[in-house]
Amino acid sequence: MSTGDSRASDTIDGEAAIIDLLRPLATDPAALGLADDCAALSPRPGMDIVLKTDPIAEGVHFLAGDAPEAIAWKALAVNVSDLAAKAARPLGYLMALSFPAPPRRAWLQDFAAGLKAAQDAFGMTLLGGDTDRRPGPITVSITVLGEAPKGRMVRRATAQPGDVLFVSGSIGDAGLGLQLCQTPRLAEAWGLEAAQAAFLRRRYHRPEPRLALREALRAAAGAAMDVSDGLVKDLGRMAAASHTSAEIRLEDVPLSAPARAVLAVRPELHAGLVAAGDDYEVLAAVPEGKARDFAELAARAGVEVGRIGRMLPDGDGAVSVLDRQGSRLTIERSGWDHF
Amino acid sequence: MSTGDSRASDTIDGEAAIIDLLRPLATDPAALGLADDCAALSPRPGMDIVLKTDPIAEGVHFLAGDAPEAIAWKALAVNVSDLAAKAARPLGYLMALSFPAPPRRAWLQDFAAGLKAAQDAFGMTLLGGDTDRRPGPITVSITVLGEAPKGRMVRRATAQPGDVLFVSGSIGDAGLGLQLCQTPRLAEAWGLEAAQAAFLRRRYHRPEPRLALREALRAAAGAAMDVSDGLVKDLGRMAAASHTSAEIRLEDVPLSAPARAVLAVRPELHAGLVAAGDDYEVLAAVPEGKARDFAELAARAGVEVGRIGRMLPDGDGAVSVLDRQGSRLTIERSGWDHF
């Protein structure tokens, strides 16, 4: 239990004490100071409300010893990552917290500080929530709200055969970072410098939603989604929803310098990186005629995007991963199914 | 584990299979057929979006042996009850489901049927969600969305000294029903007929949000909230938020005929009924000049409301419960704190 010794005197007991500690996060008038049963959000005219809920639980989505700031950041970031891929602007979030035992005050203060850092970075505030005590893992259930001009949310099911596939940032870092968190001696086995190992661990703990891609996606993407359960699995979902299939070249999937350093020692890990989870990058299907615009708008926004392949006709969602010679690779496990 | 024997052959494994089973609930275009990462809701012009999240967990908010239809109904109803008290019209909901082991298909089908019944009754549909497997109790985390004319959500913190306090329906049934579920032989000890015991158990399992009160609340209430953690505790919350105190007469708190039958045998249980949880009735503070209107509009909508007391000045949220002689009663436990 990562909230510390519940016998310690400085535990927090009671919903009211927890709400008091979180109230400074609820600065939007819509939150009514967390003093009401509901929040009341006034949408801007002409805007759709974009919604997502994705809870995280100790032992499943984060590790028992993780710092409370990191847990808080990740709980919000994994949801905001979906808004980013939909070209939606974050507005606010509701949060339900469950603890098996009263948390220590210091733990909850650090958790609130992590939320504050995340909500400030993403441009949103806490709108409401709930706390309870129940057996089982600590759970942080966040629902995020964003806005997009009416009808303009970038969708998943609207990719077309021929669309160019782009992915932001780099793929596979978080999967390697998780392995380093679980088995720290791997850093040495992989010949990593301390800074390289720290980069990969941070990519696991602190996903950075690609909110800066909003204009590029809205201007040029035919379809988009965030990559959270592994590139191949998520691309398969986009292709299936769009009634297409997809082909990507493993060599073209962008990798970070630390990930390349790992592959220099362990080249057999390469194919597994496109099945590792927790990337929280954006996958976009862009019509050929807009591919240059997309890359330019992304670059102008400070986000690197890599061209990794193409959507193909006659699709049932199949994804082919090609090697340097154009042969199909077999990806043993395509990605995460949380169930 | 109430989802049945996980070794049975007919279990559901995988997020996709669960989503397929829930897709018929997602009929609103905003849900995008559950085929996207997010929902996109187009608010009606001039409307605020009213939001609430309140998860329920096995062993805490429902019992391990409860029927899946009842769990589903309750999971949605406890959230919609908040919308009802705010005079908001339900629009839709997001739902995150967590199971410690794959549920049986029959269990999930019954759960979906319970959701269908509830969402049809409340006039809303499923907009999106998430499923995962994790240790701990089965958890149903619902976030509801409703709408209210801009700025017109009925609030909790806006009661005034002098306001007349009303409560809908009857209080304490669900608390007695829970005791009957936990200790069935109490029905005989309390001298209840089968239908009376069934009524009380149903009041625990199947809360009926008071959506019909919407017009009465909007026209006449100065403040309102739903009663879910015990009348005295929730009234104390309203008084504290409104900087008032409150006084109610125990004799005036409306009781059902089955609850009166219990009190005929066990009169010492009377005061405890105003501290029992799970009522899911509406508590309203109504200016004296509108009290008659409120009662008439409620009656016209088919909802009985009882006048139970008054808001008083100089408040720190204290609630006095008076007996027939006007003496203050001591309520040993004022209600539920879920923490």
Side-chain angles (χ1 to χ4, degrees):
Chain A
M1 224 298 268
S2 65
T3 59
D5 185 348
S6 64
R7 292 164 303 177
S9 60
D10 200 17
T11 56
I12 286 204
D13 227 342
E15 290 171 285
I18 294 176
I19 293 169
D20 284 345
L21 218 149
L22 297 174
R23 190 166 285 118
L25 303 176
T27 53
D28 191 301
L32 298 167
L34 303 184
D36 211 305
D37 310 275
C38 294
L41 181 76
S42 294
R44 292 199 298 164
M47 291 291 180
D48 284 347
I49 301 295
V50 179
L51 297 153
K52 171 74 180 186
T53 187
D54 195 357
I56 70 169
E58 183 182 13
V60 183
H61 309 87
F62 61 92
L63 305 174
D66 285 351
E69 297 94 331
I71 296 167
W73 178 283
K74 189 160 190 174
L76 192 54
V78 301
N79 280 286
V80 171
S81 178
D82 283 294
L83 296 181
K86 306 280 105 182
R89 190 175 75 85
L91 292 173
Y93 62 103
L94 303 172
M95 177 176 67
L97 284 174
S98 297
F99 297 101
R104 285 180 53 214
R105 178 170 294 275
W107 190 96
L108 204 62
Q109 283 168 335
D110 290 349
F111 182 83
L115 275 179
K116 177 77 165 69
Q119 71 176 34
D120 287 353
F122 309 149
M124 66 201 312
T125 60
L126 178 63
L127 295 178
D130 182 77
T131 61
D132 63 27
R133 205 193 299 180
R134 70 169 78 133
I138 300 174
T139 307
V140 186
S141 298
I142 283 181
T143 299
V144 286
L145 292 90
E147 66 172 13
K150 195 168 162 60
R152 296 290 306 281
M153 183 184 97
V154 178
R155 292 170 60 174
R156 179 199 280 195
T158 45
Q160 297 287 335
D163 282 356
V164 177
L165 295 169
F166 285 93
V167 73
S168 64
S170 53
I171 292 294
D173 299 328
L176 295 170
L178 173 58
Q179 289 187 60
L180 288 171
C181 291
Q182 291 171 325
T183 315
R185 66 179 166 70
L186 281 176
E188 200 182 344
W190 291 347
L192 292 174
E193 293 170 20
Q196 292 175 312
F199 170 88
L200 295 172
R201 286 194 305 266
R202 185 177 170 89
R203 288 279 283 162
Y204 171 71
H205 280 306
R206 200 177 165 88
E208 302 273 355
R210 296 296 186 179
L211 290 166
L213 273 184
R214 183 155 64 240
E215 295 312 319
L217 288 166
R218 205 172 279 163
M225 66 185 292
D226 82 326
V227 180
S228 57
D229 292 337
L231 175 61
V232 170
K233 187 174 193 98
D234 286 328
L235 174 53
R237 288 168 170 160
M238 181 190 280
S242 302
H243 307 292
T244 61
S245 54
E247 187 175 84
I248 63 172
R249 294 167 303 275
L250 185 61
E251 293 299 317
D252 292 343
V253 174
L255 300 179
S256 68
R260 290 188 183 282
V262 173
L263 295 187
V265 179
R266 299 282 307 277
E268 72 277 17
L269 295 181
H270 195 169
L273 296 187
V274 295
D278 284 308
D279 290 310
Y280 299 104
E281 295 290 354
V282 172
L283 170 68
V286 180
E288 176 74 60
K290 293 184 172 177
R292 184 182 292 191
D293 280 0
F294 180 75
E296 280 180 11
L297 285 166
R300 208 176 299 163
V303 181
E304 287 189 58
V305 294
R307 188 171 169 146
I308 61 170
R310 215 175 252 289
M311 282 298 192
L312 302 175
D314 303 324
D316 56 351
V319 176
S320 299
V321 183
L322 306 182
D323 68 11
R324 213 175 290 217
Q325 286 73 40
S327 305
R328 281 194 196 183
L329 291 164
T330 302
I331 306 295
E332 297 217 347
R333 182 185 178 180
S334 69
W336 290 95
D337 190 321
H338 290 289
F339 207 83
Chain B
M1 226 294 269
S2 63
T3 59
D5 184 347
S6 64
R7 293 165 301 177
S9 60
D10 199 18
T11 56
I12 287 206
D13 226 344
E15 290 171 286
I18 294 176
I19 293 169
D20 284 344
L21 217 148
L22 297 173
R23 190 166 286 117
L25 303 175
T27 53
D28 191 302
L32 298 167
L34 303 183
D36 211 306
D37 310 276
C38 294
L41 182 77
S42 293
R44 293 198 298 164
M47 291 289 181
D48 283 347
I49 301 294
V50 178
L51 297 152
K52 171 73 179 187
T53 187
D54 196 356
I56 69 169
E58 183 182 14
V60 183
H61 309 87
F62 60 92
L63 306 174
D66 286 351
E69 297 93 331
I71 297 167
W73 178 283
K74 189 160 189 173
L76 192 54
V78 301
N79 281 286
V80 171
S81 177
D82 283 294
L83 296 181
K86 307 279 105 182
R89 190 173 76 85
L91 292 173
Y93 62 104
L94 304 171
M95 176 176 67
L97 283 175
S98 296
F99 296 101
R104 285 180 52 214
R105 179 171 294 274
W107 191 95
L108 204 62
Q109 283 168 336
D110 290 349
F111 182 83
L115 275 180
K116 177 76 166 68
Q119 72 176 33
D120 287 353
F122 308 151
M124 66 201 311
T125 60
L126 178 63
L127 295 178
D130 182 74
T131 61
D132 63 27
R133 204 191 302 177
R134 70 170 76 133
I138 299 173
T139 307
V140 186
S141 298
I142 283 181
T143 300
V144 287
L145 292 90
E147 65 172 13
K150 196 170 160 60
R152 297 289 307 283
M153 183 185 96
V154 178
R155 292 170 59 174
R156 177 199 282 194
T158 45
Q160 297 287 334
D163 281 355
V164 177
L165 295 170
F166 284 93
V167 73
S168 64
S170 53
I171 292 295
D173 299 327
L176 295 171
L178 173 58
Q179 289 187 60
L180 288 172
C181 291
Q182 291 170 325
T183 316
R185 63 178 169 71
L186 280 176
E188 199 182 344
W190 291 347
L192 292 175
E193 293 169 19
Q196 292 175 313
F199 170 87
L200 295 173
R201 286 195 305 266
R202 185 178 170 87
R203 289 278 285 161
Y204 170 71
H205 280 306
R206 199 177 166 89
E208 302 273 355
R210 297 295 187 180
L211 290 166
L213 273 183
R214 185 155 64 239
E215 295 312 318
L217 288 167
R218 206 173 277 162
M225 66 185 293
D226 83 326
V227 180
S228 57
D229 292 338
L231 175 61
V232 169
K233 187 174 193 101
D234 286 327
L235 174 53
R237 288 169 171 159
M238 181 190 280
S242 302
H243 306 293
T244 61
S245 53
E247 188 175 84
I248 62 173
R249 293 167 304 275
L250 184 61
E251 293 299 317
D252 292 344
V253 174
L255 301 180
S256 67
R260 289 188 185 281
V262 174
L263 295 187
V265 179
R266 299 282 309 275
E268 71 277 16
L269 294 181
H270 195 168
L273 296 187
V274 295
D278 285 308
D279 290 310
Y280 298 105
E281 295 290 354
V282 172
L283 170 69
V286 180
E288 176 74 58
K290 294 186 172 177
R292 183 181 294 194
D293 281 359
F294 180 74
E296 281 179 9
L297 286 166
R300 208 176 300 163
V303 182
E304 287 189 57
V305 294
R307 187 170 170 147
I308 60 170
R310 215 175 251 291
M311 282 297 191
L312 303 175
D314 303 325
D316 55 351
V319 176
S320 299
V321 182
L322 306 182
D323 67 11
R324 212 175 290 216
Q325 287 73 40
S327 304
R328 283 195 195 181
L329 290 164
T330 302
I331 306 295
E332 297 218 346
R333 182 184 178 182
S334 69
W336 290 95
D337 190 320
H338 290 288
F339 209 85

